[in-house]
Structure formats: structure tokens, C-alpha cells
Amino acid sequence: SKKHKVTVVGSGNWGSTIAKIVAENTKAHPETFEEDVQMWVYEEEVTIPKESKHYDESSGDKPQKLTEIINKYHENVKYLPDIALPKNIIANPSVEEAVKDSSILIFNLPHQFIGRISKQLEGKILPFARGVSCIKGVNVTESEISLFSEWIGEGLGIYCGALSGANIANEIALEKWSETTVAYDPPVIDSQAATPTGPSPSSSQINLTITDTDKQQDLKDSRGRTTKARLRAVPSSYPPLDHSVFKSLFHRPYFHVRMVSDVAGVSLGGALKNIVALAAGFVEGRGWGDNAKAAVMRVGLLEMVEFGKEFFGHSVHTATFTEESCGVADLITSCSGGRNFKCARMAAERNVSVAEVEKTELNGQMLQGTSTAKEVNSFLKARGREDAYPLFKAVLDILEGRKTVDDIPDLVARPDE
Ligand code: NAD
Ligand code: 13P
């Protein structure tokens, strides 16, 4: 019987950490997974820093390909320095090669880049593959919004779930305990409604024979609409791709997984909290205390829940925001030690822009909150709803210089109920 091959698409701070987790688990569960995990790396030339223990062995300050560094030293010296990666992670600069024959695709890269990568993968993946998006952001086009999990699913014609939680990557890479939430809820293929597939247009490229016993059906999105995403039966030669397989892929003694079905709630929590974390950074950088930060978090959580209910009410559960790691817990950790929080705090302290701090302090890591604030507000504006989300709006107005941090208290004050 066959085993699932796993690819992690992305290799930044969180991408490398998730690859570490997954590679530990593929090794621990040889009955289910192939041991080697492919990790797609956006290739760049990197100089190993002098303080790295690999500096001596390298050729001094000469830049080297990041994939070669990772495969030689088993460390991502740029995005996850000083963390030993399992040797069964294989860094690959070609995304098409990295996904070849993989039945599980984990998408983990800054949301700014997923569009191009997803396009490159069209027709290159196993048709019955399942995806999991670890991306924190939302996909906004003009007046429409979608979840990256759904958008990846539509683009690639597969089912895609989501992983999100109170997960600052550096802590998890050091194996300090945390929890996460995985939303994975493909419908059971309805044999009445399902249609047999003919040979897939991509089957010759990926060298797979599809027989007419394979079943597929359309998938609905989190707002109940039929989409181009298709659910295809996993061949019976593989272990079924159910909750237990995904739990065994992600759960570690230091990384506790709770499986849920609310993909929209999990995805929205991770995206929207980044806007709130910027606000928390602003008020702390302004010199206000923990009470101000708690006030921002209270209002932020309220807006996150309302946004979910207003635009994804068909499927979102309020409890996902209030009870799961991907909701309130992620909000708290992100407003304590996240990069969006820290960069906004430095920006307010130094009186410079957040973009400037991102450039000088993050060594190539990327903030998600600044672009998410812009995208969410442009979506709300197109719907005439921006005044209903005053904290989200205030963050964008501060980022773009129309308001100051001092304006936040009055902007977010609501009349007593
Ligand atoms: P990161 O912030 O470390 O970003 C750097 C990555 O972007 C590198 O892998 C780099 O190669 C890649 N990159 C740069 N230019 C690119 C391009 N043109 N095309 C493609 N890739 C390019 O990334 P991350 O921390 O791994 O974040 C990935 C996702 O995970 C984000 O949505 C983030 O919100 C989420 N997340 C991050 C953390 C964390 O603590 N870092 C925790 C949970 C979730
Ligand atoms: P930042 O991207 O702000 O560091 O947030 C990390 C995160 O998502 C923690 O759960």
C-alpha cells in the first residue's frame, strides 16, 4: 500500500518551523507517511552570519544558495537560525518539483506571495491531494473577500483546510509548549451526486492513471456557494485522509492540535488578529499601559467576531474565536510578542512608519497586518461598512497618516447598549 508524501510550500520563520514538526511526525509514523518531506524554498543567495556555528565551515562571506545551505547544514540560517532541522527535510528551489506526487500540501508563506505560487502549481499536483493553509491573511479582490484555504482549493481544484493558532514560530521551534487549531472538514463524497472522473488533464504530466472508479464532486465554500474546488476520492491504496491522519501529521508533545470543522473561523482569526496586534503595538509604543492594550484587544475581538458573523455567517461559529487557540489565544500571544505588535510598538516609539521598521528589523521576514489592514478596509469600504469596524479603520488611518494613536480611544468608543 502507498504512503502519503508531504510537501511544505514555504520556508520562512513559520514555514521552516512547521516543516520541522511535520518531518518529525512523518518519521514517527512510517506506516502512514513517506519519511522525506519536501520543502519549497524561494531561492536566494545568503551569507552565513558570522555568529552562526556554520560560519567556519563555509567559505567566509561568500553568498550561497539558501537551499544548499539548508540541505548541507540542516538549518535555515536566515529565517530560523540556530534551530536544527530534521535531516528528512529536503529543501527544493522548484515548487513544481517539490509538490510532485505529494498527496498532502501544506501552504505556509507570507500571504502576499501565494497568488503567484498557486498559479504555478495549476495542473502540477495530484488531483486527489488535500491542502492545509497555514497562511494568516485574507484574499481581497475589489469588493470580494475569500479565505486563502478556499482560494487555494479553487485554484488547484482540491480541498484545502486551515491551521492557525497562538503560534509564535520561534517558541515552537524551541519546542516550548503551545496549542493550535486545525480545521479540516471535507464532505464525505456522496456516491449518488459524485461523477466518475475521466483521465485528468494533468494526469500525463504527473504520471498517474485515473480510473473511472475515482469519484469527484463539487465543493461548496464557507458561504454555501458551489465553487471550482473539487473533492476527489483518495485511491484506496492510500490511508484515508481523515482527521486522524492530519492530527498525526501536526501533533507533537510540544504542539497540541485540536481538530475542528470551522475553516472560516480558523482562517479569519489568524488574519484579523494581525490588525489588532498593530493597534496593541501602537498604544504600547505610545507609552500607555496594559489597560490600554487590553482595551484594544477587547474591541478587536468584538470586531473579529462581528466580521465573521457578517460576512461568513453561513459557517462561522463564534466559539471558534472565543474558545479555540486560533481565536482569543492567538490574539493574546500576538499582542504580547508577535512581529506585528513589536514593529508597531517600535514605529510609535521612534515616530517612523511600520514599513520602515519592517525593513530594518525583520531581516526579510514579512508583516501580514499592514497589508491585511489595507485589504480588509478596502473590502469594508466597497460595502459601505467601514464605520462598523472602527478599530480596523483606525489602524489603517494611523498606518497611512490620517490619524494618530491618540485618536484611538475616541474612535473606538461605542454608545452604551
Ligand atoms: P516570513 O515572515 O519568515 O517571510 C519570509 C519568507 O518569505 C521567506 O521564506 C522568503 O523566502 C519568502 N519570500 C520572500 N520573497 C518572496 C517571493 N517573492 N515569493 C515567495 N516567497 C518569498 O514567513 P513566515 O513567518 O513563514 O510566515 C508565513 C505565514 O505564516 C504568514 O501568513 C504568517 O502570518 C503565518 N504565521 C507566522 C508565524 C510566525 O511566528 N512567524 C506564526 C504563525 C503564522
Ligand atoms: P506575527 O506575524 O505578528 O509575528 O504573528 C505571529 C503569529 O501569528 C502568532 O500566532
Side-chain angles (χ1 to χ4, degrees):
S1 69
K2 294 202 155 193
K3 297 176 183 189
H4 291 294
K5 182 176 169 193
V6 186
T7 298
V8 179
V9 177
S11 54
N13 192 231
W14 186 222
S16 302
T17 304
I18 277 287
K20 172 178 179 293
I21 289 170
V22 161
E24 288 167 359
N25 277 331
T26 56
K27 197 172 164 114
H29 301 286
E31 65 295 349
T32 310
F33 304 108
E34 283 185 19
E35 186 171 316
D36 282 354
V37 170
Q38 287 283 319
M39 178 172 79
W40 173 65
V41 175
Y42 176 73
E43 191 67 288
E44 60 187 290
E45 298 277 326
V46 168
T47 304
I48 297 185
K50 285 212 167 55
E51 57 277 16
S52 168
K53 68 170 188 256
H54 305 299
Y55 180 74
D56 278 348
E57 302 163 51
S58 78
S59 37
D61 289 333
K62 195 164 150 274
Q64 302 171 58
K65 288 198 164 71
L66 183 56
T67 48
E68 287 171 10
I69 293 175
I70 294 172
N71 288 334
K72 183 166 176 200
Y73 300 113
H74 308 290
E75 185 181 317
N76 187 337
V77 296
K78 178 159 182 192
Y79 295 106
L80 194 61
D82 303 326
I83 299 293
L85 296 175
K87 294 196 169 62
N88 55 325
I89 293 178
I90 315 295
N92 193 330
S94 157
V95 74
E96 291 94 338
E97 277 291 312
V99 299
K100 195 165 176 284
D101 297 333
S102 287
S103 45
I104 300 180
L105 307 173
I106 300 164
F107 296 92
N108 196 329
L109 65 166
H111 80 278
Q112 292 87 336
F113 306 126
I114 182 66
R116 193 173 51 77
I117 295 307
S118 184
K119 272 254 157 310
Q120 260 175 277
L121 292 182
E122 278 174 24
K124 304 280 168 45
I125 62 168
L126 286 183
F128 58 84
R130 303 283 192 266
V132 176
S133 165
C134 304
I135 299 166
K136 292 187 175 176
V138 278
N139 183 41
V140 170
T141 44
E142 291 168 12
S143 63
E144 263 310 316
I145 189 165
S146 64
L147 311 173
F148 280 113
S149 48
E150 292 177 345
W151 188 73
I152 291 167
E154 278 226 51
L156 301 182
I158 59 170
Y159 177 83
C160 186
L163 178 153
S164 187
N167 296 152
I168 289 180
N170 293 335
E171 293 179 17
I172 298 168
L174 290 167
E175 304 189 1
K176 297 180 179 182
W177 172 58
S178 76
E179 298 181 304
T180 202
T181 319
V182 176
Y184 180 79
D185 192 32
V188 175
I189 293 193
D190 172 358
S191 51
Q192 302 285 304
T195 51
T197 55
S200 154
S202 54
S203 60
S204 57
Q205 282 161 296
I206 56 179
N207 203 14
L208 177 92
T209 312
I210 306 223
T211 71
D212 63 3
T213 56
D214 290 304
K215 297 282 193 287
Q216 61 171 338
Q217 71 184 41
D218 293 337
L219 285 170
K220 291 197 184 333
D221 70 8
S222 54
R223 281 169 283 180
R225 299 173 307 194
T226 299
T227 68
K228 282 190 268 171
R230 308 284 290 165
L231 185 68
R232 291 173 210 253
V234 175
S236 56
S237 47
Y238 286 83
L241 278 172
D242 55 13
H243 267 197
S244 71
V245 165
F246 283 95
K247 188 149 185 172
S248 63
L249 185 61
F250 292 114
H251 191 87
R252 296 296 299 156
Y254 59 88
F255 190 61
H256 284 200
V257 170
R258 275 170 58 84
M259 302 290 302
V260 302
S261 56
D262 180 6
V263 179
V266 169
S267 307
L268 288 173
L272 299 173
K273 64 84 192 176
N274 282 330
I275 309 178
V276 187
L278 289 171
F282 287 146
V283 299
E284 186 158 310
R286 167 73 180 77
W288 295 341
D290 291 338
N291 297 335
K293 195 156 91 175
V296 158
M297 287 162 72
R298 181 190 74 78
V299 177
L301 184 61
L302 196 64
E303 292 189 17
M304 287 164 61
V305 171
E306 286 178 351
F307 191 93
K309 283 203 297 206
E310 180 168 355
F311 301 109
F312 292 85
H314 184 86
S315 66
V316 150
H317 305 297
T318 300
T320 309
F321 294 105
T322 56
E323 294 177 17
E324 299 296 342
S325 180
C326 60
V328 66
D330 192 9
L331 182 71
I332 294 168
T333 204
S334 297
C335 293
S336 311
R339 298 167 299 183
N340 286 284
F341 165 73
K342 286 181 178 164
C343 288
R345 183 181 61 195
M346 281 185 239
E349 282 166 355
R350 299 175 190 172
N351 204 19
V352 296
S353 71
V354 176
E356 171 83 23
V357 177
E358 180 181 23
K359 225 184 297 153
T360 56
E361 304 297 324
L362 285 190
N363 192 30
Q365 292 184 36
M366 315 253 334
L367 295 181
Q368 306 285 273
T370 43
S371 47
T372 302
K374 211 178 167 95
E375 288 149 3
V376 164
N377 276 287
S378 89
F379 167 74
L380 288 169
K381 194 163 183 195
R383 305 257 162 156
R385 294 291 294 151
E386 76 261 51
D387 291 336
Y389 297 88
L391 184 69
F392 294 168
K393 184 164 185 273
V395 168
L396 184 67
D397 285 342
I398 294 167
L399 287 170
E400 296 188 344
R402 288 182 293 276
K403 298 281 184 205
T404 69
V405 181
D406 286 356
D407 295 320
I408 290 180
D410 285 340
L411 290 172
V412 303
R414 295 187 186 207
D416 293 337
E417 308 268 294

